[in-house]
């Protein structure tokens, strides 16, 4: 039990470090960009699809899914190697993503801050199935007229 608590604490430290590292890698425009496809401000459905793609990338272990929605600056920093490391760390401490559910949007200017509940599943040392839920936050902003992930992390 103590060993598991230490592993979880270590993992949370890594996630916090990754969240700080990943967030804030893109210059946010002073004025919200208009999305030509929707005819309005930053499109909510596009933002949801971006965040969903991030979680699916971790669930399906496919960096390419993630890369498609990351802002260019973030693609340079969150490389396939960083993705593999993060994925391994997630699997070792929480298990694999079993499911995820959109929980809502936090009010923030310019950005879309989306929150998801993610359920991880792993096998315990006694062969029992262990499920654990954790929150996920994605920061989505318009970059060159398209919704892009500019930061994300498990909370």
């Amino acid at each position: 039990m103590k060993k598991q608590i230490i592993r979880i604490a270590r993992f949370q430290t890594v996630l916090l470090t990754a969240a700080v590292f990943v967030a804030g890698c893109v210059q946010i425009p002073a004025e919200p960009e208009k999305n030509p496809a929707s005819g309005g401000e930053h499109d909510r459905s596009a933002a949801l699809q971006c965040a969903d793609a991030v979680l699916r990338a971790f669930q399906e272990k496919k960096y390419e899914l993630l890369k498609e929605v990351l802002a260019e600056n973030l693609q340079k920093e969150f490389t396939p190697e960083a993705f593999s490391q993060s994925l391994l760390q997630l699997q070792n401490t929480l298990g694999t993503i079993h499911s995820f559910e959109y929980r809502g949007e936090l009010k923030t200017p310019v950005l879309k801050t989306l929150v998801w509940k993610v359920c991880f599943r792993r096998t315990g040392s006694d062969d029992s199935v262990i499920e654990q839920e954790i929150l996920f936050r994605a920061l989505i902003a318009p970059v060159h007229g398209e919704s892009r992930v500019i930061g994300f992390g498990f909370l």
Side-chain angles (χ1 to χ4, degrees), residues 2 7 11 21 60 71 88 90 94 113-116 155:
K2 184 176 180 182
R7 276 185 16 191
F11 175 70
F21 173 72
E60 298 174 17
L88 183 62
L90 279 171
L94 297 173
T113 303
L114 307 176
V115 179
W116 300 73
L155 308 174

Side-chain angles (χ1 to χ4, degrees), residues 17-144:
T17 303
V20 169
F21 173 72
V22 169
C25 298
V26 154
Q27 182 178 0
I28 300 167
E31 294 294 320
E33 293 185 25
K34 299 289 183 186
N35 184 334
S38 68
E41 289 188 4
H42 184 48
D43 186 11
R44 183 170 183 263
S45 65
L48 286 169
Q49 290 172 4
C50 284
D52 183 76
V54 173
L55 289 168
R56 281 188 299 107
F58 279 97
Q59 185 178 40
E60 298 174 17
K61 303 172 182 83
K62 294 181 180 177
Y63 176 75
E64 289 306 314
L65 289 174
L66 178 64
K67 185 179 177 182
E68 288 177 13
V69 297
L70 292 181
E72 189 175 327
N73 292 353
L74 193 52
Q75 287 178 16
K76 292 174 185 173
E77 294 186 31
F78 201 73
T79 63
E81 293 78 22
F83 175 76
S84 294
Q85 276 186 326
S86 295
L87 189 58
L88 183 62
Q89 189 71 14
L90 279 171
Q91 290 173 337
N92 288 341
T93 55
L94 297 173
T96 57
I97 295 177
H98 174 65
S99 63
F100 49 89
E101 177 184 332
Y102 175 69
R103 300 306 294 166
E105 178 180 345
L106 302 177
K107 288 185 181 182
T108 52
V110 184
L111 298 174
K112 297 259 182 232
T113 303
L114 307 176
V115 179
W116 300 73
K117 178 175 74 171
V118 182
C119 179
F120 286 86
R121 186 179 280 174
R122 64 185 168 86
T123 304
S125 57
D126 62 351
D127 290 330
S128 64
V129 175
I130 299 171
E131 285 191 353
Q132 181 174 349
E133 294 176 340
I134 191 167
L135 293 176
F136 173 80
R137 177 191 69 165
L139 303 174
I140 315 294
V143 178
H144 305 300

